[in-house]
Amino acid sequence: MAEAQEEAIETATSSDTDDQLPLRDLVMSDAVRAIHMTIDTQWGSLQQSARQTAAARALWGRVVNDPLADVLAGEQLLQGLYKKMTRDRMSNAKEVSGVMLAIRTLWFDARLQAAIESFGGGHVQLVLLGAGMDARAYRLSYLKETTIFELDFPDLIQLKSDLICQVVASSDNQTNLTVSSDRLIHVPADLHEPNWLQKLTDSGFSPGTNTVWILEGILYYLSYDDAMQVLETIARALEKTARMVLLADFMNKSAVSLSNDMYQFYSDWPDQLLPRIGFCNVKVSQIGDSDANFGLLTDPENLFERRRKIPRSVDIDPRDGSPCCRLYLVEATGSRSGEDS
């Protein structure tokens, strides 16, 4: 269905800009619409961002295989992004709406697989902090020997579970949707509170097991104190963790400044920040780099390519005077001994 949705965008013409994206019946069912109506009235901007990510994954289904994304995003966000993508393609935009989220998803998927392989076998823990509408537990086959912990607000976990139950019970579930990981554990917790690690441990998290931590689309919604609390808590876990890989994305100051009401935490130099609190082997990528392109940025004059050519220390694009907004995709490692093999 995701491929059909993207094909609808590809074939849109100037005469059908007001057309609606064809959606499967389940997305438009009364039960799914009722859940999303509750989300519309109860969730703030942080929780709502989870649906925006799901919408991008659904409409970039040509490259992101996510059987749950359209249901998790909901009709309103799917139609809104569809119209933006259609306008972008009709106007030959240098980059199409949602492409950054698609690339971000693919980067996290690729680095997650590489991290698991780097452990050399055995059981692995995957901790998704601020899991949102993430569906990796259902769509990535290489997680068979992995215990996944999805940590997020209690109401988000509940409503997400309600949506997934609608998929499982629906006649649309032709692929017999199942969890691909060894175990999937939901951890209701608030990252703003310092006891989230205790709740994770109480749910079965084992500090002595090789672990991948994913912080995708979460840090910049937190205050500086809360974001540093989260990062420092993970760093302290290095003292007990056999081996660990951290995967996270950081906005720079210019990006955060575009919406100070929504974004808060930033780091212009995460490769300097993370070693100071105990991480090592920090690698920083930007959208458009060789490991963060995936063939989706074909116009050489696209915005991400322009930003890559400007030194990270420069805040203003000398070409047009616009702020140099950047999203850093960051990988770091750590081990109990402080050294990685």
Side-chain angles (χ1 to χ4, degrees):
M1 185 63 193
E3 290 83 357
Q5 291 170 345
E6 187 158 357
E7 183 179 352
I9 300 169
E10 294 280 5
T11 58
T13 66
S14 59
S15 63
D16 61 13
T17 54
D18 293 329
D19 283 358
Q20 296 292 296
L21 172 69
L23 299 171
R24 54 174 168 161
D25 292 342
L26 177 59
V27 177
M28 302 178 69
S29 67
D30 290 342
V32 169
R33 281 176 163 172
I35 294 171
H36 280 289
M37 188 175 298
T38 299
I39 290 173
D40 288 336
T41 58
Q42 294 185 2
W43 287 11
S45 58
L46 174 55
Q47 295 98 317
Q48 292 286 0
S49 69
R51 290 201 298 169
Q52 296 167 1
T53 300
R57 289 171 177 162
L59 295 186
W60 284 87
R62 173 170 54 88
V63 292
V64 180
N65 178 25
D66 190 332
L68 290 169
D70 58 344
V71 175
L72 296 177
E75 179 182 4
Q76 181 178 351
L77 270 73
L78 289 168
Q79 296 292 0
L81 180 56
Y82 168 73
K83 290 180 179 179
K84 291 179 181 178
M85 293 175 68
T86 300
R87 287 196 299 267
D88 289 343
R89 288 193 166 128
M90 288 170 52
S91 63
N92 295 316
K94 293 180 172 61
E95 55 279 325
V96 177
S97 295
V99 68
M100 184 180 73
L101 292 175
I103 291 175
R104 189 183 76 179
T105 296
L106 294 171
W107 183 88
F108 274 92
D109 287 353
R111 299 319 305 157
L112 170 59
Q113 183 173 11
I116 291 174
E117 292 174 353
S118 74
F119 293 145
H123 194 76
V124 175
Q125 296 176 138
L126 169 60
V127 182
L128 298 162
L129 294 184
M133 295 301 192
D134 192 286
R136 287 185 170 91
Y138 298 89
R139 64 181 184 83
L140 299 180
S141 60
Y142 56 78
L143 298 177
K144 292 179 181 178
E145 297 185 17
T146 303
T147 296
I148 300 179
F149 297 91
E150 292 188 351
L151 186 148
D152 216 319
F153 296 111
D155 59 335
L156 190 152
I157 289 177
Q158 182 59 59
L159 290 172
K160 176 183 176 182
S161 296
D162 292 345
L163 287 168
I164 293 175
C165 285
Q166 292 297 320
V167 176
V168 173
S170 169
S171 58
D172 280 5
N173 187 23
Q174 299 174 358
T175 57
N176 295 319
L177 182 75
T178 57
V179 174
S180 59
S181 60
D182 181 41
R183 296 179 66 197
L184 172 60
I185 300 173
H186 296 126
V187 184
D190 185 347
L191 289 176
H192 297 88
E193 302 295 332
N195 65 345
W196 64 264
L197 181 59
Q198 185 59 56
K199 292 184 177 181
L200 182 64
T201 303
D202 292 344
S203 298
F205 173 75
S206 173
T209 301
N210 292 338
T211 303
V212 181
W213 297 81
I214 285 186
L215 287 76
E216 181 181 9
I218 182 65
L219 283 173
Y220 28 84
Y221 288 98
L222 303 177
S223 69
Y224 176 86
D225 289 344
D226 288 336
M228 289 304 300
Q229 171 262 124
V230 169
L231 292 170
E232 289 169 352
T233 298
I234 297 172
R236 286 195 297 271
L238 291 174
E239 300 172 3
K240 300 179 180 179
T241 303
R243 292 183 64 196
M244 182 271 284
V245 173
L246 171 72
L247 302 173
D249 58 331
F250 291 73
M251 283 185 176
N252 70 345
K253 184 176 182 179
S254 294
V256 168
S257 298
L258 290 180
S259 180
N260 288 318
D261 292 336
M262 182 178 298
Y263 305 127
Q264 300 181 63
F265 177 76
Y266 68 88
S267 178
D268 292 316
W269 303 97
D271 40 346
Q272 296 179 13
L273 169 67
L274 292 177
R276 289 201 298 267
I277 59 176
F279 296 96
C280 57
N281 300 322
V282 181
K283 179 183 178 182
V284 176
S285 298
Q286 296 186 66
I287 302 294
D289 284 352
S290 59
D291 66 338
N293 187 311
F294 303 99
L296 301 183
L297 299 170
T298 56
D299 191 315
E301 288 298 309
N302 71 78
L303 178 62
F304 304 105
E305 184 64 24
R306 284 169 47 193
R307 292 290 183 262
R308 289 177 60 245
K309 294 178 180 178
I310 300 174
R312 287 168 56 190
S313 58
V314 176
D315 296 327
I316 300 297
D317 188 335
R319 179 171 167 176
D320 59 12
S322 62
C324 289
C325 302
R326 305 176 191 268
L327 181 74
Y328 297 125
L329 304 172
V330 180
E331 179 176 5
T333 63
S335 64
R336 192 157 37 204
S337 64
E339 298 181 358
D340 284 294
S341 57

